[in-house]
Amino acid sequence: MQQFEMYLRLERSLAENSTIAYLTDITKFTQFLLHKHISLLAVEPVHIRAFLVALHSGGMKATSQSRVLSALRVFYKFLLLDNHITEDPTGLVESPQLGRYLPSVLSVPQIVSMIKVIDHSTPTGMRNRAIVETLYGTGMRVSELTDLKASHVYFEEGFVRVIGKGNKERLVPIGAIALKYIKLYVEEVRVHMDISSGYSDYLFLNRRGKNLTRVMIFLIVQELAKKAKINMEVGPHIFRHSFATHLVEGGADLRAVQEMLGHSSITTTEMYTHLDRNYLKQIIQDYHPRNHINNHN
C-alpha cells in the first residue's frame, strides 16, 4: 500500500485529500476481500461488482460508488504497471448509473417578483438590482460575478468579458436592461464610493469598497426570494439555470447556450434540453384535452 501511495503522490500528482480518499477506498475493498478470503491479486470483475452491490446495500450513493470504482481502476492500473497482475479486473466493470441532476429554475414571473421587492431608492438596492439583472442576463457563475471587472463591461458593444474556470475567457452578450442598471449603479452609486486599494476595477463592491463574496451574493438573493414569497430554495446559481432554460425553451441553439455558459462539453449543456422536455411534457399533461378524460376508450 505504501508503494501505491507513492505512486499517487509522485506519478499521479494527486492532492492530499484525493490521495487519502483513494487509500481509504482501497482499504475498504481490501477488508471486503479479506472477509471473502480473496487475494487482491486474484480479483475478478465479479468480485468488484459484488463490492459495489455491498456499498449500494449500505446506502452509498451512485456518485460515491463511481468514485470508489475510479480508485480501484487506478489501483489495478498501478498493479499492472508494476507487473503484479497481467489483466485489469476493472476493465469489464461498468460504472454505476448516475441519475441526471435537473436543477431548479425560476419562472419569469418569479424573477420579476424578486426584482419588484428591491428598494431602488437606496444605493444597496441599486447595486442589488444590477446584480440580479447581470446574473439572469448573462448566466454567469456567482464566482464569475464576484470577480467581474468594471473594465470588462462593454456598454457600446453589448458584451461582458467573463473569466471562467481555469482562467478561460469568454465574451457573453448582455441585454439593454441589464446594461441600463449596471450603468445606473456605476454612475450613481459606485462613483461615490471609497474604494479600497487593489479593488478599483471590481464592478460590484461592498460598503468597505471591496468586491463582494459568494456568501454575500447568496444572502442577497435569499433575502429577495424571501421577500418575494418564493417557496423554494433560491441561490445565485438558480439564475444561471433559469437563463439557460429560458433560452432553450425559446428555441436557442444549444451550441450558442454552451458558449455563453462557458461549458467545455455540450453534454453539460444538454441537461437544459431535458428540463425543456419536462416543461413540454407538463404542457401536454395540463392542456391536451385527451388528458382530461377520466375513462379513455
Side-chain angles (χ1 to χ4, degrees):
M1 195 64 75
Q2 193 173 5
Q3 287 180 319
F4 179 56
E5 183 177 349
M6 294 290 287
Y7 169 76
L8 293 176
R9 294 182 190 280
L10 300 178
E11 295 192 42
R12 304 280 299 198
S13 301
L14 290 188
E16 182 68 19
N17 288 344
S18 298
T19 300
I20 292 169
Y22 271 48
L23 293 173
T24 301
D25 290 337
I26 300 305
T27 300
K28 285 180 184 176
F29 184 55
T30 304
Q31 291 168 347
F32 172 82
L33 294 177
L34 193 63
H35 183 70
K36 301 284 185 183
H37 306 290
I38 301 165
S39 166
L40 266 173
L41 303 182
V43 165
E44 297 179 7
V46 65
H47 302 133
I48 295 173
R49 292 191 193 101
F51 178 55
L52 293 175
V53 168
L55 294 177
H56 176 73
S57 300
M60 182 179 280
K61 294 180 181 178
T63 49
S64 298
Q65 291 173 47
S66 290
R67 188 207 68 227
V68 171
L69 182 57
S70 294
L72 290 174
R73 290 191 201 283
V74 172
F75 179 65
Y76 278 100
K77 182 180 180 181
F78 159 74
L79 292 179
L80 202 60
L81 288 170
D82 264 24
N83 297 315
H84 292 297
I85 56 174
T86 57
E87 206 169 320
D88 180 2
T90 67
L92 297 175
V93 181
E94 293 183 0
S95 296
Q97 289 295 312
L98 302 179
R100 183 176 287 273
Y101 166 66
L102 296 179
S104 299
V105 297
L106 292 168
S107 66
V108 175
Q110 284 175 320
I111 291 171
V112 171
S113 69
M114 287 180 67
I115 288 170
K116 282 183 177 179
V117 299
I118 297 173
D119 183 0
H120 295 80
S121 66
T122 67
T124 300
M126 291 179 71
R127 182 202 64 191
N128 292 351
R129 173 68 185 267
I131 286 171
V132 171
E133 294 287 2
T134 303
L135 284 171
Y136 180 52
T138 63
M140 68 174 66
R141 301 175 179 94
V142 64
S143 57
E144 295 168 347
L145 181 94
T146 57
D147 289 338
L148 184 62
K149 305 297 190 294
S151 60
H152 289 177
V153 182
Y154 307 119
F155 290 95
E156 294 298 321
E157 294 83 358
F159 281 87
V160 288
R161 192 199 304 176
V162 179
I163 311 298
K165 291 182 177 179
N167 281 326
K168 290 181 180 177
E169 293 189 10
R170 67 185 189 276
L171 280 175
V172 181
I174 183 169
I177 293 176
L179 285 174
K180 171 189 171 183
Y181 285 98
I182 291 174
K183 195 169 185 179
L184 280 171
Y185 160 68
V186 168
E187 294 179 352
E188 296 186 21
V189 177
R190 195 179 180 280
V191 72
H192 300 297
M193 294 182 70
D194 184 13
I195 302 174
S196 298
S197 176
Y199 294 88
S200 60
D201 198 24
Y202 283 95
L203 179 59
F204 295 114
L205 304 170
N206 59 27
R207 291 175 184 175
R208 297 184 301 278
K210 296 181 179 180
N211 66 320
L212 292 166
T213 63
R214 294 174 57 166
V215 172
M216 192 63 205
I217 302 291
F218 180 86
L219 292 173
I220 290 168
V221 170
Q222 196 176 50
E223 182 63 23
L224 291 177
K226 186 178 177 182
K227 285 183 178 179
K229 294 182 171 61
I230 296 173
N231 298 317
M232 60 187 288
E233 191 68 35
V234 177
H237 218 62
I238 204 168
F239 288 104
R240 179 172 168 85
H241 297 315
S242 303
F243 165 85
T245 304
H246 296 165
L247 284 178
V248 171
E249 285 178 0
D253 179 72
L254 206 58
R255 290 284 179 189
V257 177
Q258 177 194 1
E259 186 73 23
M260 287 184 277
L261 292 175
H263 286 158
S264 56
S265 169
I266 192 71
T267 306
T268 310
T269 318
E270 280 174 347
M271 71 176 170
Y272 295 107
T273 65
H274 286 259
L275 281 170
D276 189 34
R277 286 176 199 139
N278 286 345
Y279 165 77
L280 294 173
K281 185 178 177 182
Q282 192 61 48
I283 291 294
I284 289 291
Q285 294 287 354
D286 290 346
Y287 299 111
H288 197 287
R290 296 298 291 174
N291 291 321
H292 296 280
I293 298 173
N294 291 327
N295 297 309
H296 296 294
N297 293 323

